Amino acid sequence: MEPTQEPVPRLRVLVVDDHPLFRFGLCTVLAAEPSLDVIGEAANGRDAVSAARTFEPDVVVMDLHLPDIDGIEATRQIVGERPGTGVMVLTMFNDTESVFAAMRAGARGYLLKGSGQEEIVRAVHAVGRGEAIFGPDIATRVLGFFNSGPMTQTDTVFPELTSREREVLALIADGESNSTIARRLSLSPKTVRNHVSSIFTKLHVADRAQAIVRARKAGLGETTNGQ
């Protein structure tokens, strides 16, 4: 009599996206896979963190543009609380800054929403196995990044910040106002306020003065802006 094989554990998946129709479609596709179990969904970053804490998924499929807190910060919090959770970003954002911000936050995968259903399912399985998975164009840029030589000072200072947040912090260190920062970086005032709030939270500072002190001690400011 042949030994009975143990069933392969199903991957527990949490789906996070603020578009109800896309979220419904993605949940339907993933739930149709015998090896995947969609155990929850969330429409914003704050609920995503709470759901990950409650349901303890193996994989979180994460959009980046989310209400409350964005997908980058949600990823950082989820991975920070449960390092074994694999986060796979599925987004419309194809810019290099978003890709590397997601990687720094702890994401293991990065696909675009135009990816085919089979590619998404394969990526979820790969992330669930602890592998890193990227779309073809993104993989090329990631490889180029790691082959480009040593990182600059601004890459290594405050790694918890995104590259855009470090730009904002450098201008704060120069004494620039939010309106000036918005003009210099071609951002909306609301976006700058969100970046500033995120910087204060990540650096555990209470106000602009404390942020300037931290930034100056780390060498950010006029010197880094002039590079």
Side-chain angles (χ1 to χ4, degrees), residues 14-18 41-55 60 62-78 81 194 197-198 201:
L14 171 67
V15 174
V16 184
D17 197 286
D18 64 332
E41 55 184 276
N44 62 68
R46 198 173 305 281
D47 286 350
V49 174
S50 177
R53 192 176 293 134
T54 300
F55 298 118
V60 179
M62 178 76 71
D63 192 12
L64 292 186
H65 184 67
L66 296 171
D68 289 338
I69 59 176
D70 63 24
I72 299 295
E73 181 58 27
T75 295
R76 181 177 291 106
Q77 292 187 29
I78 290 170
E81 291 185 11
N194 289 340
S197 177
S198 178
T201 298

Side-chain angles (χ1 to χ4, degrees), residues 25-40:
L26 182 57
C27 287
T28 301
V29 167
L30 297 178
E33 291 294 314
S35 56
L36 301 180
D37 186 11
V38 179
I39 48 86

Side-chain angles (χ1 to χ4, degrees), residues 24-25 31 44 50 62 65 72 112 115 135 147 153 182 224:
F24 172 78
N44 62 68
S50 177
M62 178 76 71
H65 184 67
I72 299 295
L112 299 180
S115 303
N147 290 335
Q153 180 189 15
T224 51

Side-chain angles (χ1 to χ4, degrees), residues 38 59 68 80 82 117 121 125 147 159 169 202 216 219:
V38 179
V59 179
D68 289 338
R82 299 188 72 247
Q117 294 181 5
V121 170
H125 281 119
N147 290 335
L169 180 58
K202 292 177 185 179
R216 284 296 188 177

Side-chain angles (χ1 to χ4, degrees), residues 34-177:
S35 56
L36 301 180
D37 186 11
V38 179
I39 48 86
E41 55 184 276
N44 62 68
R46 198 173 305 281
D47 286 350
V49 174
S50 177
R53 192 176 293 134
T54 300
F55 298 118
E56 299 185 345
D58 301 303
V59 179
V60 179
V61 181
M62 178 76 71
D63 192 12
L64 292 186
H65 184 67
L66 296 171
D68 289 338
I69 59 176
D70 63 24
I72 299 295
E73 181 58 27
T75 295
R76 181 177 291 106
Q77 292 187 29
I78 290 170
V79 175
E81 291 185 11
R82 299 188 72 247
T85 300
V87 176
M88 189 196 81
V89 171
L90 185 62
T91 182
M92 294 294 293
F93 292 98
N94 192 27
D95 60 288
T96 300
E97 178 181 327
S98 295
V99 174
F100 291 121
M103 291 174 61
R104 285 191 294 267
R108 293 183 195 161
Y110 199 108
L111 292 183
L112 299 180
K113 285 187 174 180
S115 303
Q117 294 181 5
E118 291 184 1
E119 184 179 4
I120 293 173
V121 170
R122 284 197 302 270
V124 169
H125 281 119
V127 169
R129 293 192 299 268
E131 301 172 9
I133 186 78
F134 302 95
D137 174 59
I138 293 168
T140 300
R141 276 182 280 159
V142 170
L143 182 62
F145 174 80
F146 286 112
N147 290 335
S148 62
M151 293 188 294
T152 64
Q153 180 189 15
T154 54
D155 290 322
T156 56
V157 170
F158 302 125
E160 65 269 47
L161 302 183
T162 67
S163 57
R164 177 64 81 187
E165 287 169 348
R166 284 195 294 273
E167 288 180 310
V168 171
L169 180 58
L171 291 171
I172 289 175
D174 281 339
E176 303 290 2
S177 65

